[in-house]
Amino acid sequence: MGTYIPNTPEERMAMMKAVGISEMSQLYQSIPQEMMVDELDLPEGMSEMEVARLVSDMAASNKVFKHIYRGAGAYHHYIPSIVKQVTSKEEFVTTYTPYQAEVSQGVLQSIFEYQTMIAELTGMDLSNASVYDGATAAAEAITCCVERKRTKMLVSGAANPDTLEVMKTYSFGADRELVVVPVRDGVTDLDKLAELIDEETAGVFIQQPNFFGMIEDAEKIGEITHNAGAKFVMGIEPVSAVVLKSPAECGADIVTGEGQSLGIPLSFGGPYLGFMAATEKLMRRLPGRIVGETVDVDGRRAFVLTLQAREQHIRREKATSNICSNQALCAMMSAVYMATLGPVGLEKVAMNSYSNAHYAAERIAEIPGFDLVNKGEFFNEFVTRCADVKKVLAKLEEYDILGGLPIKLISDAEASDLNQGLTDYIDAPEKANGLLWCFTETASKEDIDNLIAILKEVA
């Protein structure tokens, strides 16, 4: 990281002299003295060898499974080595917000290419330069929908529970109403949606595929939403978007999602990537920033930060966001991943994931006690009943397999009464009676057959 600090000690002295100070501490003279720290009580330093040993011991406590059959918002895909090779370059790893376009052309172009790919993937007019994660993107979409007389948001109860919780937090903080639409047969209850939507509804959010892996009737939901004068927001899994109808074809106004499955490792939960795309009409409402293409004084192609909705860039009363950064490195990883695979490669990943999941579902459902819970269409995830979840997962772990996510299954009537969404489905393994399975292109037929043999042994 030799070039991370771009100025020399002499240049820093010159800058201090220019602003009329003789030492760095004078930059903090406006901070009350009682808040200043004179020294930190740090332990004795270690040698490089000692630190390496300590960190290795800590890392050894992690369990990295050879076979992963769990998704629920974070997906195990094969990532070509070129993705890490390109994005590990020093000039990309150390970049921050590209305020100065004249010295940030490389980073700005990488973000521009990422935005273009997300727009193509979703079918939308434009994409922003990313936000923190998929849950944040979904929550930020609420602000994009809200108008003076429309402040209520309807959210499908089949959305990821983590996403739903973040959306609830955003709504609580802004004093906005958020209503959960009940689930029926593993998908959003359209009759209930039609009952709940009214003239105060700003928008409707669904997840496609939903948390159960089921494919929603997005076009119908979009029709119901628009007939009520509200905006339609779709939270998508990007790999599935390659083979399903695009959000644009379903009538979406805003598209959000978690970009982790586009070339970003699982990494114990992050950092990940929240993407957002929208119609041109909502361009100025998107949070964060949008990189645009222009020409310089010599007529050469150049890139700049075009639109920024944060309060530090525009008048505070006009700001729609306080997102203070973007996931530029993660966005670049996704861009390199998509560019490496191309349309044909991405389609193969999607179709192999679909095929593997359906083969696995068919084989697992043959085992007594592992019947499929929902009978509709799904992409790469599905739910099965399981009499002894804890025993099954423990047995799979012996074979270096991470099984499905433990889920406490409840009836549609209970889900409707609770009005809480899937947070009531997710529970500790000892209380669970179902498993949410996920299969991607990384699972071979031999792997799945081996899984079936183990499950039969447990059953």
Side-chain angles (χ1 to χ4, degrees):
M1 297 300 174
T3 59
Y4 184 71
I5 299 176
N7 46 59
T8 64
E10 291 76 17
E11 288 172 327
R12 290 197 289 276
M13 288 297 296
M15 286 189 284
M16 286 193 292
K17 184 178 180 180
V19 297
I21 62 174
S22 57
E23 56 183 50
M24 287 289 186
S25 61
Q26 291 177 268
L27 291 171
Y28 306 100
Q29 57 189 1
S30 61
I31 299 176
Q33 193 60 40
E34 60 269 21
M35 296 181 67
M36 301 294 287
V37 177
D38 294 326
E39 60 179 319
L40 297 173
D41 184 19
L42 299 175
E44 285 292 319
M46 296 181 180
S47 67
E48 180 179 337
M49 184 172 68
E50 290 172 322
V51 172
R53 184 178 297 158
L54 175 65
V55 173
S56 296
D57 290 343
M58 293 169 63
S61 64
N62 292 330
K63 172 62 178 176
V64 180
F65 289 90
K66 183 178 181 180
H67 303 284
I68 300 174
Y69 303 132
R70 183 179 297 184
Y75 301 94
H76 178 52
H77 288 283
Y78 177 75
I79 303 172
S81 58
I82 192 174
V83 175
K84 185 176 181 180
Q85 182 70 24
V86 171
T87 57
S88 295
K89 291 172 69 68
E90 182 178 318
E91 52 266 44
F92 295 132
V93 173
T94 60
T95 56
Y96 186 56
T97 306
Y99 287 121
Q100 292 177 275
E102 64 273 19
V103 294
S104 303
Q105 285 298 292
V107 176
L108 286 168
Q109 181 175 357
S110 73
I111 296 174
F112 179 83
E113 303 296 352
Y114 156 80
Q115 291 174 178
T116 302
M117 293 179 193
I118 293 296
E120 290 177 346
L121 188 66
T122 59
M124 305 304 284
D125 297 327
L126 54 101
S127 165
N128 70 1
S130 78
V131 293
Y132 303 130
D133 54 33
T136 303
E140 287 285 343
I142 298 177
T143 305
C144 297
C145 293
V146 168
E147 297 176 359
R148 190 166 57 87
K149 293 184 179 181
R150 290 180 177 267
T151 59
K152 182 171 74 174
M153 194 75 184
L154 301 185
V155 180
S156 168
N160 187 300
D162 293 333
T163 299
L164 184 53
E165 286 303 302
V166 175
M167 296 180 85
K168 285 180 179 179
T169 301
Y170 264 63
S171 297
F172 170 79
D175 195 24
R176 294 168 183 156
E177 185 181 5
L178 186 146
V179 178
V180 178
V181 181
V183 179
R184 184 174 65 187
D185 298 328
V187 294
T188 308
D189 189 329
L190 298 188
D191 293 333
K192 286 290 185 181
L193 172 62
E195 288 178 21
L196 291 169
I197 198 166
D198 56 26
E199 66 276 0
E200 294 182 359
T201 304
V204 174
F205 176 89
I206 67 160
Q207 186 172 307
Q208 179 76 312
N210 65 29
F211 185 71
F212 293 122
M214 304 298 290
I215 297 174
E216 297 272 3
D217 189 348
E219 286 182 275
K220 182 63 176 177
I221 294 173
E223 183 182 320
I224 294 172
T225 302
H226 288 147
N227 286 342
K231 295 180 179 66
F232 181 34
V233 184
M234 286 181 66
I236 67 168
E237 197 291 301
V239 172
S240 71
V242 179
V243 291
L244 296 180
K245 274 194 172 183
S246 73
E249 292 175 303
C250 296
D253 298 293
I254 304 171
V255 183
T256 70
E258 173 56 65
Q260 175 273 325
S261 55
L262 297 175
I264 300 173
L266 291 171
S267 303
F268 205 70
Y272 286 168
L273 165 71
F275 64 83
M276 297 186 75
T279 59
E280 186 175 354
K281 185 178 179 181
L282 294 170
M283 175 170 58
R284 293 184 179 275
R285 290 200 172 198
L286 282 183
R289 49 184 71 91
I290 298 175
V291 173
E293 183 181 6
T294 184
V295 292
D296 64 14
V297 293
D298 298 317
R300 296 174 300 184
R301 187 187 191 209
F303 302 91
V304 292
L305 286 175
T306 305
L307 292 173
Q308 301 166 80
R310 190 186 171 205
E311 75 282 352
Q312 79 173 60
H313 301 298
I314 62 178
R315 283 185 293 177
R316 184 173 294 274
E317 66 274 13
K318 289 185 175 292
T320 59
S321 167
N322 65 354
I323 291 286
C324 62
S325 185
N326 65 69
Q327 300 293 86
L329 183 59
C330 291
M332 180 177 229
M333 293 171 74
S334 290
V336 174
Y337 174 83
M338 288 187 281
T340 300
L341 268 64
V344 175
L346 285 170
E347 184 176 2
K348 285 183 179 179
V349 170
M351 290 307 300
N352 286 340
S353 298
Y354 175 91
S355 299
N356 288 341
H358 281 71
Y359 175 70
E362 183 180 330
R363 295 297 312 280
I364 293 174
E366 294 171 356
I367 305 171
F370 284 91
D371 54 305
L372 287 174
V373 173
N374 302 308
K375 306 304 181 184
E377 292 294 331
F378 63 93
F379 176 59
N380 67 343
E381 293 181 274
F382 56 89
V383 179
T384 64
R385 299 188 190 282
C386 182
D388 195 335
V389 168
K390 192 174 181 180
K391 180 180 178 182
V392 168
L393 293 179
K395 187 66 175 180
L396 292 176
E397 191 168 338
E398 291 178 15
Y399 290 89
D400 211 10
I401 296 172
L402 179 64
L405 179 73
I407 286 184
K408 178 186 175 185
L409 300 174
I410 60 179
S411 68
D412 288 338
E414 289 175 302
S416 179
D417 290 340
L418 288 168
N419 194 35
Q420 291 293 315
L422 287 178
T423 45
D424 296 283
Y425 287 83
I426 312 306
D427 221 315
E430 59 268 17
K431 294 183 180 180
N433 57 352
L435 288 168
L436 173 63
W437 300 90
C438 175
F439 293 84
T440 68
E441 84 286 358
T442 59
S444 67
K445 182 178 182 295
E446 182 183 3
D447 294 334
I448 297 173
D449 289 340
N450 182 50
L451 169 69
I452 300 304
I454 299 169
L455 291 179
K456 284 181 177 179
E457 180 184 337
V458 179

